[in-house]
Amino acid sequence: MEKLIITACICGAEVTKEHNPAVPYTIEEIAREAKSAYDAGASVIHLHVRWDDGTPTQDSSRFQEAINAILEVCPDVIIQPSTGGAVGMSDEERLASLNVVPKPEFATLDCGTLNFGGDEIFVNTDNTIFNFARIMKERGIKPELEVFDKGMIDIALKADKQGLLVHPLHFDFVLGVQMSATLRDLVIMVGSIPHGSTWTACGIGRYAFDIAAGAIIMGGHVRIGFEDTIYLEKGVLAKSNGELVEKVARLAKFFGREIATPDEARRILSIK
Ligand code: KMH
Ligand code: ZN
């Protein structure tokens, strides 16, 4: 089996310090959390940014500041800016996270509209998805295809049929938002992507470590971090993203899977 790529989603747009005081808002806090995850074995940082008061933003200069600070402490890490941003942002606003230097190697591409809890809807029309895919292809940015249910894999494959994606494809199965997060769900998703694709999985909240274990055993990769879960175990808040990554690294060791360095992750993901 390939080595395990651990992606740390250190910040997110929705989770707050009220949920867990270690959630990073400031640039210093974002760099601290990225470093804790990197030191524990993360090779990819999935990045959202906030203003100092915690408000999510896709402002390109805020992304630039965060990227500069992360690269100072984790010089070889793969940074994956979010183009999802927060619910309610316009497409133009969301794409601003890509206007940074160095040019992003990797970025998220959300492949469908979904119910985000309560009255919140995260809107991704076909036109939005195809347009984001086209822009990433033109700029040589590898998309991580964020799929929250099986139908979104089919939408990604429509974009592929239109020539908007470069193979091998890489998917991230985000389980526990719209689709449930059992091992059966994970098996369905893995069985629905083209042969030769790579994949990462994450389970939201209490499903985080079940899905991580499933992905480790099945040869996929794992995403973990405050964006997806704030708990290390039932009732115990994680003190850092590093603690969450460390737990995944321990699971990987238990199952005999080695952890990929950032350069190994680049090779596995076919990132040039
Ligand atoms: N915050 C969500 C609305 C992504 O990063 O691409 C979107 C999200 C997905 O987190
Ligand atoms: Zn995200």
Side-chain angles (χ1 to χ4, degrees):
M1 237 182 243
E2 285 281 17
K3 290 187 180 179
L4 178 74
I5 301 169
I6 304 176
T7 296
C9 49
I10 58 174
C11 176
E14 289 79 23
V15 67
T16 68
K17 285 189 190 292
E18 282 71 54
H19 300 118
N20 182 330
V23 170
Y25 295 167
T26 68
I27 298 298
E28 293 68 29
E29 289 168 347
I30 285 175
R32 178 200 73 209
E33 287 305 306
K35 170 113 171 77
S36 79
Y38 173 82
D39 287 347
S43 50
V44 180
I45 303 294
H46 168 65
L47 188 63
H48 289 255
V49 297
R50 313 284 189 95
W51 296 117
D52 285 354
D53 67 0
T55 310
T57 176
Q58 291 291 99
D59 181 82
S60 52
S61 36
R62 188 68 169 180
F63 264 92
Q64 189 67 63
E65 271 190 275
I67 289 168
N68 293 348
I70 293 170
L71 290 178
E72 223 166 87
V73 288
C74 324
D76 60 340
V77 80
I78 300 169
I79 300 180
Q80 180 197 69
S82 167
T83 66
V87 168
M89 289 178 171
S90 69
D91 290 5
E92 198 187 0
E93 210 176 347
R94 285 166 53 183
L95 285 166
S97 62
L98 301 181
N99 301 334
V100 290
V101 285
K103 178 199 80 179
E105 302 175 271
F106 204 20
T108 58
L109 171 55
D110 294 279
C111 293
T113 294
L114 73 146
N115 283 1
F116 219 69
D119 288 327
E120 306 238 294
I121 299 178
F122 179 38
V123 177
N124 292 284
T125 65
D126 279 9
N127 285 347
T128 293
I129 298 161
F130 299 163
N131 185 39
F132 280 32
R134 186 183 48 73
I135 289 169
M136 289 188 204
K137 186 177 179 193
E138 279 169 7
R139 297 201 201 169
I141 300 169
K142 171 129 189 166
E144 176 173 87
L145 303 164
E146 305 296 315
V147 290
F148 295 73
D149 63 27
K150 154 75 170 63
M152 294 193 195
I153 295 178
D154 300 326
I155 296 174
L157 298 183
K158 267 206 269 180
D160 187 36
K161 258 200 174 147
Q162 295 188 21
L164 299 171
L165 301 174
V166 177
H167 282 238
L169 307 181
H170 180 74
F171 291 85
D172 179 31
F173 307 135
V174 188
L175 302 178
V177 181
Q178 176 153 284
M179 187 172 177
S180 52
T182 63
L183 288 180
R184 178 172 169 270
D185 296 306
L186 181 59
V187 168
I188 290 169
M189 298 297 265
V190 173
S192 304
I193 59 176
H195 185 70
S197 305
T198 51
W199 59 274
T200 294
C202 57
I204 302 301
R206 65 196 172 92
Y207 304 107
F209 294 103
D210 294 4
I211 295 300
I216 291 167
I217 295 166
M218 291 169 70
H221 304 282
V222 173
R223 179 175 117 162
I224 193 82
F226 287 151
E227 181 168 348
D228 297 343
T229 185
I230 52 172
Y231 290 103
L232 193 58
E233 57 189 77
K234 193 168 183 211
V236 181
L237 286 175
K239 293 192 189 69
S240 66
N241 279 277
E243 274 197 345
L244 295 169
V245 173
E246 246 169 49
K247 184 164 172 178
V248 170
R250 280 202 303 279
L251 280 175
K253 188 161 187 211
F254 181 78
F255 290 116
R257 191 112 184 250
E258 286 181 69
I259 307 294
T261 63
D263 277 343
E264 289 167 340
R266 285 183 178 90
R267 183 192 53 74
I268 294 165
L269 295 167
S270 306
I271 288 177
K272 312 283 181 302

